[in-house]
Amino acid sequence: MGALGLYPHQVDGISGPWTQGAVRTFQSQHGLAVDGIAGPKTRAALGRRGKPNLGARPLKQGKRGWDVAALQFLLHERGFEPGGFDGGFGPNTLSAVRRYQSAAHLDVDGVAGSSTLNALRTGPVITIGSPSSPVRFFRPVPGAIGDGFGWIPPGRLHTGLDFPEPLGTPIHAGGVGVVSFAGYNNGGYGNLTVISHRLGFESWYAHQSRIIVSVGQSVVGGQTIGYVGSTGHSTGPHLHFEVRHFGTPVDPTPYLLGYRAAHRAHPSGRRHKCRPNADARGRGADPLTARLDRCP
């Protein structure tokens, strides 16, 4: 839609009002049912921009299509910028593929075949030094961190940080953003607030006793957004804090201002992996239905 001039915003991988509005406009222009869903008929009307599916063919310089745009977004989500999401495999995309292949210890041939696509979709996040993103977060509460991110004894996957705090402790927004969800989550988070930040980042604040912000409200770092509680799947008062990038939980500790944590490995050697949610929001990334400590 961006290439057609119908989506004049930064691509964020979330099917929100701007995306649905662009799809509806395109559908109206082409005599299709205006439902805001990019289904088979809408994709067919997009011509070469609507096909083929990612993985249907090896991708190399000169290729164009829906799958190239999906590849470009996966590269972007992994931190290897392709220079845009135009569906054209040009020199910038070639450079990004080569850089990713080198960092992932794959054959550096500039062709996004099955090995490269599988690594982009399911492989571990590759980081060099500190996070490449300029986004940072204030600590949401002043206390110490209890359970960290990743595998914790006796073998439970934990997708955020737990801050044990007394009931009623004020919870502060991690940074500037807009409240995108404020309500009860039925998957274990209890009273949950989600704040959308720039560059595809979100911060999640779970188990609250009380929420004092509303959807659509702009907030700044340090602003009180609620109070510590023990709602949802919780054994006592604490704040469960998550950072998500395009819907996928990432370790918040490197993004917290003034805080560095040593890498915590599970005794079995298991590594935490969450598949990048680079295409659209599924139930696992929907704040209403997301399940606590589950990858999307």
Side-chain angles (χ1 to χ4, degrees):
M1 294 300 163
L4 297 174
L6 300 177
Y7 187 86
H9 307 284
Q10 181 178 353
V11 176
D12 58 8
I14 298 173
S15 182
W18 288 338
T19 302
Q20 293 172 13
V23 172
R24 289 176 181 274
T25 299
F26 177 82
Q27 290 170 331
S28 177
Q29 291 175 348
H30 290 77
L32 302 170
V34 181
D35 57 9
I37 300 172
K41 292 184 179 179
T42 299
R43 286 184 57 174
L46 283 167
R48 62 173 175 79
R49 291 191 175 96
K51 58 183 181 182
N53 291 327
L54 184 64
R57 57 177 180 167
L59 298 175
K60 58 185 179 181
Q61 189 166 13
K63 297 292 185 180
R64 302 186 66 83
W66 179 281
D67 52 354
V68 175
L71 167 66
Q72 290 170 330
F73 196 86
L74 280 174
L75 288 165
H76 164 80
E77 198 275 339
R78 290 294 194 173
F80 296 81
E81 292 299 330
F85 313 101
D86 59 2
F89 199 128
N92 291 333
T93 301
L94 175 63
S95 174
V97 169
R98 288 182 178 275
R99 285 185 283 113
Y100 177 78
Q101 289 173 328
S102 176
H105 305 292
L106 302 170
D107 290 338
V108 183
D109 58 8
V111 178
S114 58
S115 296
T116 298
L117 293 178
N118 287 337
L120 282 166
R121 284 166 158 164
T122 64
V125 175
I126 299 169
T127 58
I128 301 174
S130 61
S132 59
S133 168
V135 173
R136 295 292 185 271
F137 296 95
F138 294 109
R139 294 170 71 95
V141 289
I145 294 174
D147 287 336
F149 178 89
W151 293 101
I152 59 176
R156 180 170 67 91
L157 175 61
H158 193 231
T159 54
L161 303 177
D162 282 350
F163 292 85
E165 291 287 337
L167 186 70
T169 300
I171 299 169
H172 306 121
V176 173
V178 176
V179 177
S180 57
F181 182 85
Y184 194 84
N185 164 275
N186 56 21
Y189 288 88
N191 287 332
L192 171 69
T193 297
V194 177
I195 299 174
S196 296
H197 307 277
R198 62 195 182 107
L199 302 179
F201 283 89
E202 293 177 334
S203 53
W204 291 39
Y205 310 79
H207 306 313
Q208 297 178 64
S209 61
R210 184 160 62 98
I211 298 170
I212 61 170
V213 291
S214 56
V215 173
Q217 181 177 340
S218 296
V219 297
V220 296
Q223 177 178 339
T224 300
I225 59 173
Y227 299 92
V228 169
S230 187
T231 56
H233 297 170
S234 172
T235 57
H238 72 284
L239 170 67
H240 175 88
F241 173 71
E242 288 188 11
V243 170
R244 293 195 174 207
H245 192 215
F246 296 112
T248 298
V250 297
D251 187 354
T253 52
Y255 297 93
L256 290 178
L257 289 167
Y259 181 82
R260 285 187 176 274
H263 175 69
R264 297 179 56 172
H266 187 263
S268 68
R270 298 170 73 183
R271 300 183 65 184
H272 171 263
K273 293 182 180 180
C274 280
R275 177 171 177 168
N277 188 32
D279 300 308
R281 276 187 170 277
R283 285 178 59 84
D286 183 337
L288 181 63
T289 57
R291 297 182 64 185
L292 183 66
D293 295 339
R294 297 292 178 89
C295 294

